[in-house]
Amino acid sequence: MVSMDFFPGVGRLGVAFSGGVDSSVLLALAVRDLGRDRVVAVLGVSPSLAADEREAAHAVARFIGVAVVEVTTFEGDRDAYRANGPDRCFHCKDELFTRIADEVVTAYRLDAVAYGENADDAQRPDRPGSRAATQHRVLRPLADAGLDKAAVRRLAREFALPCADKPAAPCLASRIPHFQPVSREKLAQVERAEAALRGLGFQDLRVRHHGDVARIELPPADLVRAVADPLRAEVHKAMLAAGFRFAAVDVAGVQSGAFTLPLVQRA
């Protein structure tokens, strides 16, 4: 287990918590170093958070031994967020950190707020949420310690976290192509489609929203299974039930930053 001072000068800490591997490791480290009575897990709740992700986050926090404080975020009320440009994540994180500052910091007497950016994410050009963290003076202990994705996964296993092998699960808005407006209806549609696929036994997945078309991203090992009988008909039926007219399986597999990276790399 890595031993270093992740939180120098911090007495009470709020962790922007999603239940993903990064924020869960950050929460576990905070509890280890500061004590559970000095740590608050803060979960932002909005239509961009899938219901099963919300439940899973609470389960991980219970395992770590920290109560979750939920804050309702209203990024969907922001014109710039709904417009869905490459900076959409900035507006989402700015809303989250603003709500935490307004509703949690004083109420829980926090000295600082931290979030789970790791060293790999810190090098990527498609993470505008990092700019919001900087503006709100939110700490990023994992990145500052040089912990990359692989190191964070190792720590998750050492802590025996239930999410240690969980695939990355970006917010539902990331499934909508940039410059196509984000709406509650589209987010709900994607959530229904992805929940149905998980019910069919798929775990690492994305359903990209292209109007009438659901473009399904799966790891290479799952591609054949998704288009072969008997699951092929079930996958198609699930996408229709979610409100799409057509279902397409993308042979490129799961693609992190599929919509944002091409835009920011071209800039």
Side-chain angles (χ1 to χ4, degrees), residues 4 6 118-120 140-149 151-152 154:
M4 60 180 298
F6 283 89
N118 62 55
D120 286 333
R140 53 196 96 204
L142 303 179
D144 289 345
L147 296 176
D148 59 15
K149 290 183 183 296
V152 173
R154 286 195 296 271

Side-chain angles (χ1 to χ4, degrees), residues 42-46 69-74 96 99-100 103-104:
V42 187
L43 177 66
V45 178
S46 76
V69 175
E70 292 191 344
V71 294
T72 301
T73 60
F74 299 92
L96 172 63
R99 295 289 170 182
I100 292 175
E103 301 177 18
V104 182

